[in-house]
Amino acid sequence: MTTALEPAEAAVDERWRRLSPRMLAVHPVMELRRLIFPLVAVLVGLRNGDGGEGGWWALGIGGVGIGLGFLRYFTTSFRITPASVQVRRGLLRRRTLTVPRDRVRTVDVTSHVLHRIFGLARVTVGTGKTDKKNDGVKLDGLSKAAAENLHRELLHRPAATVPGADGLGAGAARPAEATSETVLAAMRPAWIRYGPFTLSGLLTIGVLFGIGSRLVSESHVDLTKIGVVHDSISYLRDRPLPVAILLVSAAVVVFTAIASTAGYVLAFWKFRLSRHSSGTLHVRRGLLTTRNTTIEERRLRGVELSEPLLLRAVRGARVLAIATGLRVGRGAERGGSVLLPPAPRSVAVALAGTVAGDAAPLSVPLTRHGPRASLRRFTRAATVSTVLILIVLAFVLFAGAPWWAFWTAVPLLPIGALLALDRAGSLGHALTPDWLVSRHGSLVRRRYVLRTDAVIGWNMTTSLFQRRAGLTTLTATTAGGNQRYSILDVPDAEALRVARTAVPGLLEQFLAG
């Protein structure tokens, strides 16, 4: 599917401007959200008979939140020049953050529920400083039209202008050529079945538990006096401990599956990956909060095929970009590197090949690392399992723990052996004239496909046990993605061959003599 963007004119206004005035309705709500815990404590105090004083405290806290929201709007301004993007903030301490336009790597456009209600968007201009909270600038509160214009102006060159872009002003216009768009992937409803196997619901459980425990602590609520909670605890107390554990575990599994599916829908609803003739990949996704991410293809260094264990069991996989300027430390789903959400593995492999421009490294046979590398995986699994079993046995013998705890821990040995077998089977690498391929992992099997001309250095590390086995971990360093991609436990001679062949001449200066 190919669409065309009509040619139009792009304008640049170098005056300092404020965000959309509609943010006056959004900023106060966002500030009040940060004060939710003090507000809950005050309101609970009112319910417990704190009198009128608590009411004044609640009004005061609410007033502070609203005041901060208004102050945030009136002390924030920005301007776009042909050379840079500048944001100025602060009242007592004035700060101006400047990002040169030639340093712009990504432009993300996001809109959460409140933004969408008021027709607003947040634009994040990234400069490629991976995992830095202060990477680039954020313009939280442009109109949607202005955000789209800015997005196109900074990355889609020449750009098309959306009519009615209040917030970018009017200035000297210059002509822009039409750009075409080819859709590479779009979410299908059938892909939702992969949601329960992502286990993202475990994170949801942790977040809800943290928020809930803090709310309970602030409000001084006794959960055991709440009807449903009290009845559930009483029911579990009347059951044998193994049965109670199984019931709780089953409840956690069901809730995790539901939460993971809900998270999948919220994060990837209407997912769409397209390629623009201007040389960019554009990702759009999200239900309540929509997100638009643009990646310049000239900054693409490779792709990653990720297969978590449960997702692999149902023949699913996801695709991530290895590119400069993308945040990867926040998690693949929260960052901008997701090129395909959990989907059928065949679709993921085909898409990875399309993005990379070469399907061969996604299916090339891998060189195995030999029995010594496999033995290391079994040794680790057996050691960890045995230590855990001995710890449980110590609790049984000296702390009075029940014997069923020991028998529950014994299956760790065969489970560890199965994981070791899977890890050994996942281990491998390949080298083609243009690509370095590495695969490893069991709980999350990852296949990294990295361009050889993107490798800027090598690290060769050996532990005491690796030296005895004649193995080395060879790590390729690059400017994109995680910046370090390793080939684990490869024989020493093979590590040298791969390094010398992939980037000729790089190692000789260190190995001479």
Side-chain angles (χ1 to χ4, degrees):
M1 173 182 177
T2 304
T3 59
L5 302 175
E6 296 297 332
E9 293 184 341
V12 176
D13 186 354
E14 298 187 30
R15 297 173 300 172
W16 286 100
R17 298 181 301 282
R18 298 195 187 282
L19 303 173
S20 171
R22 283 171 277 178
M23 281 304 292
L24 288 171
V26 177
H27 277 156
V29 177
M30 297 173 64
E31 295 295 339
L32 285 174
R33 184 182 61 182
R34 298 173 183 173
L35 300 172
I36 185 65
F37 294 112
L39 276 173
V40 169
V42 169
L43 292 175
V44 170
L46 280 174
R47 190 192 65 179
N48 293 335
D50 234 2
E53 185 178 348
W56 287 111
W57 274 106
L59 288 174
I61 292 174
V64 168
I66 294 173
L68 288 175
F70 277 86
L71 187 65
R72 181 178 172 189
Y73 171 80
F74 286 110
T75 58
T76 301
S77 57
F78 72 98
R79 70 175 179 178
I80 312 296
T81 73
S84 64
V85 180
Q86 293 182 304
V87 176
R88 190 164 58 190
R89 296 188 182 95
L91 179 61
L92 300 178
R93 183 186 177 189
R94 202 71 164 161
R95 296 180 59 198
T96 300
L97 182 60
T98 301
V99 174
R101 291 181 63 166
D102 60 1
R103 293 292 300 165
V104 173
R105 300 294 182 263
T106 59
V107 179
D108 288 357
V109 181
T110 57
S111 298
H112 58 61
V113 177
L114 276 177
H115 282 106
R116 294 170 68 180
I117 290 175
F118 291 97
L120 300 170
R122 175 192 297 148
V123 177
T124 303
V125 181
T127 60
K129 295 181 181 179
T130 307
D131 300 335
K132 299 287 187 181
K133 290 185 178 180
N134 58 351
D135 171 30
V137 299
K138 291 183 180 179
L139 298 174
D140 189 1
L142 293 178
S143 68
K144 291 184 65 175
E148 290 297 331
N149 270 347
L150 182 59
H151 178 270
R152 289 189 177 95
E153 173 67 18
L154 293 178
L155 284 181
H156 294 293
R157 306 182 186 93
T161 303
V162 177
D166 64 297
L168 286 184
R174 61 179 182 272
E177 302 174 1
T179 60
S180 62
E181 178 184 36
T182 303
V183 178
L184 302 182
M187 180 182 172
R188 301 176 184 176
W191 294 359
I192 297 176
R193 71 179 185 271
Y194 294 103
F197 301 96
T198 61
L199 293 185
S200 60
L202 288 175
L203 178 61
T204 303
I205 293 176
V207 172
L208 290 178
F209 179 80
I211 295 176
S213 61
R214 184 169 177 182
L215 285 174
V216 170
S217 176
E218 294 283 352
S219 57
H220 305 290
V221 174
D222 187 357
L223 290 178
T224 60
K225 295 181 179 180
I226 299 177
V228 176
V229 177
H230 180 272
D231 294 342
S232 300
I233 294 175
S234 298
Y235 180 82
L236 292 174
R237 283 176 177 171
D238 294 337
R239 299 293 178 274
L241 186 57
V243 175
I245 292 176
L246 287 176
L247 290 174
V248 172
S249 300
V252 170
V253 169
V254 171
F255 183 80
T256 300
I258 295 174
S260 298
T261 303
Y264 184 97
V265 173
L266 290 174
F268 299 114
W269 186 252
K270 292 187 177 179
F271 175 91
R272 187 170 179 266
L273 172 66
S274 59
R275 171 176 277 152
H276 290 247
S277 59
S278 56
T280 58
L281 297 173
H282 184 70
V283 178
R284 177 183 174 86
R285 61 186 175 92
L287 180 60
L288 298 180
T289 299
T290 59
R291 176 169 186 168
N292 295 269
T293 302
T294 298
I295 305 171
E296 291 185 283
E297 290 194 88
R298 65 190 180 93
R299 305 191 186 283
L300 199 65
R301 300 295 181 261
V303 292
E304 173 190 335
L305 186 69
S306 176
E307 301 173 86
L309 181 61
L310 293 182
L311 192 60
R312 184 157 34 110
V314 293
R315 304 283 304 169
R318 59 188 179 189
V319 180
L320 308 176
I322 300 176
T324 59
L326 293 181
R327 297 176 181 174
V328 295
R330 295 185 176 185
E333 294 182 1
R334 295 183 59 190
S337 60
V338 178
L339 295 179
L340 186 72
R345 189 181 188 279
S346 57
V347 174
V349 171
L351 177 71
T354 300
V355 171
D358 187 357
L362 276 304
S363 57
V364 63
L366 301 180
T367 300
R368 316 304 296 182
H369 293 184
R372 293 182 179 180
S374 299
L375 181 61
R376 277 176 52 80
R377 272 119 195 93
F378 283 98
T379 302
R380 288 178 182 176
T383 301
V384 172
S385 299
T386 301
V387 168
L388 291 176
I389 292 173
L390 290 177
I391 291 174
V392 175
L393 181 60
F395 274 98
V396 171
L397 295 177
F398 303 108
W403 274 99
W404 63 261
F406 170 76
W407 297 115
T408 303
V410 169
L412 288 176
L413 276 174
I415 292 174
L418 290 175
L419 287 176
L421 181 64
D422 187 54
R423 292 181 65 210
S426 299
L427 205 59
H429 70 279
L431 181 64
T432 71
D434 299 316
W435 300 96
L436 175 66
V437 182
S438 172
R439 190 182 71 179
H440 58 81
S442 177
L443 296 180
V444 180
R445 176 190 286 177
R446 294 183 171 92
R447 186 183 185 113
Y448 300 112
V449 178
L450 184 67
R451 283 168 38 189
T452 52
D453 59 6
V455 178
I456 58 177
W458 297 103
N459 286 329
M460 302 179 70
T461 58
T462 57
S463 66
L464 173 63
F465 298 105
Q466 282 180 310
R467 285 197 296 272
R468 294 182 61 183
L471 301 174
T472 297
T473 293
L474 177 66
T475 302
T477 58
T478 181
N482 291 321
Q483 302 180 346
R484 297 169 58 87
Y485 295 93
S486 298
I487 303 176
L488 303 179
D489 288 342
V490 64
D492 295 339
E494 177 66 7
L496 288 174
R497 185 194 72 83
V498 169
R500 283 172 165 163
T501 306
V503 188
L506 185 60
L507 282 185
E508 271 61 24
Q509 55 183 318
F510 302 103
L511 298 177

